[in-house]
Amino acid sequence: WKYIEGAPSPKLKRVCRKQELHAQLYNLLSDPEEQNNILDEYPDIAKRLANLLNQQRTSDRSHRSPIDL
């Protein structure tokens, strides 16, 4: 699975395209080219991945440099 939050990052250096500004979910096993956003078909998986993303952001691990890992 690949979950894309759809919110621009404050550190983003480029202008977002309109299609990037909404949440997206892809099954990378069946759709490795990310052509079919299946978020509406799997809202529970998207919610779980969004929660995991938020947990990582609020945990100490998301603030360490790669060398500290």
Side-chain angles (χ1 to χ4, degrees), residues 1-4 24-39 41-42 45-46 49:
W1 298 103
K2 178 178 179 179
Y3 174 74
I4 300 171
Q24 301 167 56
L25 179 68
Y26 299 98
N27 181 333
L28 296 178
L29 289 176
S30 63
D31 182 19
E33 295 178 356
E34 301 173 25
Q35 299 296 309
N36 301 302
N37 181 2
I38 54 173
L39 186 129
E41 297 170 43
Y42 298 95
I45 291 173
L49 292 172

Side-chain angles (χ1 to χ4, degrees), residues 10-28:
K11 297 179 181 179
L12 194 64
K13 302 281 188 222
R14 64 177 178 79
V15 176
C16 291
R17 294 177 292 197
K18 186 175 181 179
Q19 67 266 26
E20 294 175 336
L21 296 178
H22 64 277
Q24 301 167 56
L25 179 68
Y26 299 98
N27 181 333
L28 296 178

Side-chain angles (χ1 to χ4, degrees), residues 29-69:
L29 289 176
S30 63
D31 182 19
E33 295 178 356
E34 301 173 25
Q35 299 296 309
N36 301 302
N37 181 2
I38 54 173
L39 186 129
D40 292 337
E41 297 170 43
Y42 298 95
D44 293 339
I45 291 173
K47 186 175 182 177
R48 244 182 27 220
L49 292 172
N51 287 337
L52 287 170
L53 178 60
N54 286 328
Q55 287 174 8
Q56 287 298 308
R57 281 191 180 132
T58 58
S59 74
D60 186 42
R61 293 186 72 184
S62 68
H63 302 291
R64 293 183 192 162
S65 70
I67 296 171
D68 292 338
L69 298 176

